[in-house]
Amino acid sequence: MSSDALVADQTDHPGEPVAVIAAGALPWRVNKDQLEVLLIHRPRYDDWSWPKGKIDAGETIPECAVREVQEEIGLTAQLGIPLPPIHYHVASGLKVVHYWAVQVNGARLVPDGKEVDSVMWCAPDKAASLLSNPSDVVPLEYLGTAHERGELSTWPLVLVRHAKAKPRSSWTKAEGERPLAATGIRQAKAVGRLLQVWRPLRVVSSPWLRCVATVMPYVNASGAKVKLADNLTEHKHARNPKKTAAVVESLFDKQRAVAVCTHRPALPTVMDQLARHMPAQLREILPSSQPYLSPGEMLVCHVAPGAKNRIVAVEQFKPFED
């Protein structure tokens, strides 16, 4: 899911099966108060394009975008707002390329030399004239419009439902100690990989074991700081949903990337609180019925800094399960 402008089907081939899935990014920066984007030159095709590539087995589409940016220009990316995907035909059939905005803050870029032999920073209008594939202009135009609206520079707030736990019916000890099932342990590892796409350095979690176990693979890999919040547990939420909502509201205070992990019964309250920071068109596409999110599933909210802490785009992803 994403903003209303991205909900509409971008393809001119409705109903046609997709033969090739690829992903990439539009790197951008502000230089002397002017927006610039990064084009790559591919010697194999002698063309100007965006960093992108085909999805590998065992990865999600966002993970593919991050990997391709790393491989092609040496940039460890944190994905920003989603941009409109593009569709076109190749020899094997219809190809779709999913794009995200990626902000470059002074990082040194190192083209791989094989797939990419040079890069060029330029203004969006010049980039539009140089792009070899005319459809590549579509995400560029959206990026430029988002910049004009003050909705391009964002930070991610990632809501995670804990991975699959052992059944309640088979657990006789304290509810807070109910662990992940074998499937849930695999899901937690996948959650850890997918969270690397947004690289939150803060994780706020229910202290119950199944939530903590869901986020720990990511925490161990990233060194993110963990805060345990009792009001995110099922019991505390049942007693006082307003305190659960207050935990969610507090996530906006530092205006930095954060992930929050909680339980299915708390999700309606969490969604309602997030919706307070969204325009109507985004509220309408939020999950609105049980189970809201499946075990291990994520809702990614892209927040534009400012007094109103506006959520300007929303996405929903399931981690890839082995």
Side-chain angles (χ1 to χ4, degrees):
M1 276 184 206
S2 52
S3 66
D4 186 60
L6 304 184
V7 172
D9 187 3
Q10 297 289 333
T11 180
D12 294 326
H13 313 280
E16 183 177 346
V18 174
V20 180
I21 298 175
L26 275 63
W28 66 274
R29 69 182 184 186
V30 174
N31 184 30
K32 297 179 181 178
D33 297 326
Q34 298 297 315
L35 177 66
E36 295 181 339
V37 292
L38 184 85
L39 293 178
I40 64 168
H41 183 263
R42 302 185 299 175
R44 178 180 177 184
Y45 304 102
D46 189 23
D47 69 354
W48 289 97
S49 183
W50 309 117
K52 66 177 183 295
K54 297 178 186 176
I55 191 169
D56 280 349
E59 69 180 356
T60 60
I61 296 174
E63 289 173 272
C64 172
V66 169
R67 176 182 54 77
E68 287 292 338
V69 170
Q70 172 67 47
E71 290 178 354
E72 293 195 344
I73 61 173
L75 175 66
T76 301
Q78 178 191 65
L79 296 188
I81 62 169
L83 303 172
I86 64 171
H87 301 73
Y88 54 94
H89 284 100
V90 293
S92 56
L94 185 64
K95 180 176 181 178
V96 58
V97 186
H98 299 269
Y99 283 114
W100 283 265
V102 165
Q103 185 173 9
V104 180
N105 288 318
R108 181 169 176 264
L109 305 180
V110 183
D112 71 349
K114 181 179 180 182
E115 296 289 334
V116 178
D117 61 355
S118 64
V119 299
M120 178 192 300
W121 284 107
C122 57
D125 55 350
K126 181 176 180 180
S129 68
L130 291 174
L131 285 165
S132 301
N133 183 347
S135 58
D136 274 340
V137 175
V138 174
L140 173 63
E141 291 177 341
Y142 189 92
L143 183 146
T145 301
H147 176 65
E148 293 172 359
R149 295 195 303 257
E151 298 179 357
L152 181 56
S153 178
T154 60
W155 57 270
L157 190 163
V158 186
L159 170 62
V160 184
R161 178 183 168 185
H162 69 70
K164 185 174 179 60
K166 287 189 174 182
R168 295 178 194 268
S169 59
S170 65
W171 188 251
T172 58
K173 299 180 182 179
E175 181 63 14
E177 297 175 6
R178 184 156 57 95
L180 296 181
T183 298
I185 293 172
R186 293 194 295 271
Q187 287 177 338
K189 293 178 180 178
V191 166
R193 293 192 297 269
L194 184 52
L195 280 175
Q196 293 284 354
V197 167
W198 301 284
R199 297 163 57 203
L201 293 180
R202 294 188 298 146
V203 175
V204 180
S205 174
S206 159
W208 285 10
L209 180 58
R210 52 191 180 273
C211 281
V212 174
T214 296
V215 299
M216 283 312 294
Y218 171 73
V219 170
N220 290 335
S222 66
K225 294 182 179 179
V226 182
K227 178 181 179 181
L228 301 181
D230 286 337
N231 287 315
L232 291 175
T233 66
E234 289 186 27
H235 287 176
K236 291 286 188 178
H237 173 262
R239 292 176 184 174
N240 195 334
K242 289 184 178 179
K243 289 187 177 181
T244 303
V247 173
V248 176
E249 185 63 25
S250 71
L251 301 177
F252 291 89
D253 292 345
K254 294 185 178 181
Q255 300 193 24
R256 289 190 289 112
V258 61
V260 57
C261 186
T262 189
H263 308 261
R264 178 190 55 78
L267 290 178
T269 296
V270 175
M271 297 282 186
D272 286 347
Q273 193 63 31
L274 292 174
R276 295 172 182 267
H277 295 269
M278 298 179 188
Q281 67 267 27
L282 283 185
R283 292 196 295 269
E284 291 173 359
I285 63 173
L286 281 177
S288 58
S289 60
Q290 294 288 357
Y292 294 91
L293 298 174
S294 60
E297 193 169 12
M298 304 178 191
L299 189 79
V300 184
C301 300
H302 297 272
V303 188
K308 294 183 179 180
N309 289 314
R310 298 167 298 157
I311 294 175
V312 297
V314 177
E315 305 178 275
Q316 192 171 333
F317 297 105
K318 293 181 180 179
F320 182 88
E321 297 179 32
D322 297 334

